[in-house]
Amino acid sequence: MRTLILAAALLALPLSAHAQTPAPAPSPAVRAMAAGYKALTVCSALKTAEAAGGSRTLESVEANELVGVYPEIDAIVREMPVEIGAWQVSVPWDEAMPPRVAVFSPGRGCAIQPVGWTGESPEIFPPGVRVNEPFVVADPSGNAALLNETVQGAFEGRYGEGANTTAVLVLQGDRLVAEEYGMGFGVDTPQRTWSVGKSLAGTIIGAAVHRGEADVNGPAAIADWSRAGDPRAAITLDQLMRMASGLTSDTAGNRTDALYFGGVGIDEQATTWPLIAPPGSQYRYANNDTLLAVLSIAPTFERHPPAELFRRLGMYDTWAETDWRGNYMLSSQVWTTARDLARFGRLYLNDGVADGERILPEGWRDYVSRPSGPQPGGAQGYGATFWLMNNSEGVPADTISANGNRGQYVIIVPSRDIVIVRRGEDPTGKRFDFIAFTRDVLTALE
């Protein structure tokens, strides 16, 4: 285990010869959001670790998940007290209002309740049996010393000063050839996937397509768009998966705080945004697109919930969280371990087959890897819920990745039969160079 030393950022007012005007107090809306962020994060981190057979401390969560969060709530989150119960976590935020509450249920993780909620915790059912498949641990086919040096570098700042690596795992075929964790993290420590959840969502959709319960080329089945004349009814499931819906969304599409931490239901907000471009004509990264894609197949979850797919893949330490109304938040709020993410990546190495059983349609890997829609600028292209590494020097062109905030990466290299998982809690503004890391891991395994 490698010990990670974290330094808290010092906040200081600018100096001036004149007296400074005191900064305005955070608005009630900002404080409510900060309290929701802390309640949900603490609940998910502590309760999923316990359910996975491990443990986390509040001090560990405060030193990792609650450091370097969104600037407008970072300082507030640190000062807020937290109350931890058997099934819920509460954070007081206003003398006249009830605390923000996140409630845990086995199999679904934690859900943040709406602002002002004073209800009772829902009925709790016992967790299912955990039967995690062990990995075969083996020496790599390649330069073991160089691979170890590369993995160590991920924890020592070689791929990004100030980045906080919490786990690295490398699969070569079915063999675990590298695995290391930061202090306070281990094989049984779930972390939030952030937007790696979008690729998990695409996989859940793929399973529904294989069962004949979804059609990516057909219109997304959103009830609120069914009124005659609604132009959004033309948006296809494929366009939602490719971030090409044409819909507007929060803050350039990358922040949906009211849904994630405010207690607003997906079916209350995500369906309400208007078009700003013809469907399929523009790329716009948007949490809402994934939320809507998942909502469109929600009727299949009664018989085939996400947990069913996770169990079939051996991902017993994975929780797909929902909003308080029961809608899955698969654009971001999945908590899982590094090993479970490796199991997820292995499904794509095997083109959708797990233990001899086809889970995804034949050719689904090619489908999610195909840049058939409008593309983003920058180093990576975008397929269908996966990022593409087809223009990265030293990386095979068939490489795809699932990327998430704060440094979550699952890199899948089919032509090399390799999966690389990097977990992190990178503070805002500190980035891990996952492309360079991928290139160095692949070099070590040649």
Side-chain angles (χ1 to χ4, degrees), residues 85-307:
W87 298 105
Q88 67 181 46
V89 171
S90 304
V91 176
W93 64 279
D94 186 279
E95 292 182 357
M97 291 288 287
R100 297 301 310 280
V101 178
V103 179
F104 176 80
S105 59
R108 286 200 175 190
C110 293
I112 189 69
Q113 305 303 303
V115 178
W117 184 80
T118 57
E120 296 181 358
S121 296
E123 183 178 2
I124 300 298
F125 297 93
V129 178
R130 296 169 59 249
V131 195
N132 280 348
E133 168 203 0
F135 279 101
V136 175
V137 180
D139 291 331
S141 299
N143 189 327
L146 181 58
L147 178 61
N148 181 66
E149 180 183 331
T150 301
V151 171
Q152 299 302 315
F155 291 89
E156 295 169 352
R158 188 183 309 163
Y159 298 96
E161 184 178 354
N164 177 10
T165 298
T166 57
V168 170
L169 184 153
V170 180
L171 272 188
Q172 193 173 34
D174 286 332
R175 299 174 300 131
L176 182 61
V177 297
E179 183 177 33
E180 186 166 351
Y181 295 91
M183 182 177 180
F185 296 83
V187 297
D188 50 12
T189 308
Q191 291 179 255
R192 183 176 173 175
T193 63
W194 294 92
S195 288
V196 168
K198 293 179 172 67
S199 303
L200 291 168
T203 306
I204 291 165
I205 291 169
V209 171
H210 182 63
R211 296 192 303 265
E213 297 176 345
D215 176 8
V216 293
N217 296 313
I222 304 297
D224 284 356
W225 299 348
S226 62
R227 181 174 297 184
D230 192 327
R232 298 171 298 181
I235 298 171
T236 66
L237 183 53
D238 175 80
Q239 288 164 348
L240 291 172
M241 294 174 69
R242 295 183 183 278
M243 302 294 182
S245 67
L247 296 168
T248 188
S249 51
D250 312 48
T251 56
N254 201 29
R255 290 278 296 276
T256 40
D257 294 2
L259 296 176
Y260 288 173
F261 314 115
V264 174
I266 292 169
D267 53 347
E268 293 178 287
Q269 186 186 85
T271 63
T272 65
W273 295 100
L275 286 170
I276 56 171
S281 67
Q282 291 184 13
Y283 174 90
R284 179 180 173 86
Y285 187 85
N287 295 328
N288 285 334
D289 277 14
T290 303
L291 293 170
L292 288 164
V294 173
L295 187 64
S296 75
I297 67 163
T300 71
F301 294 152
E302 184 174 354
R303 293 183 55 197
H304 302 287

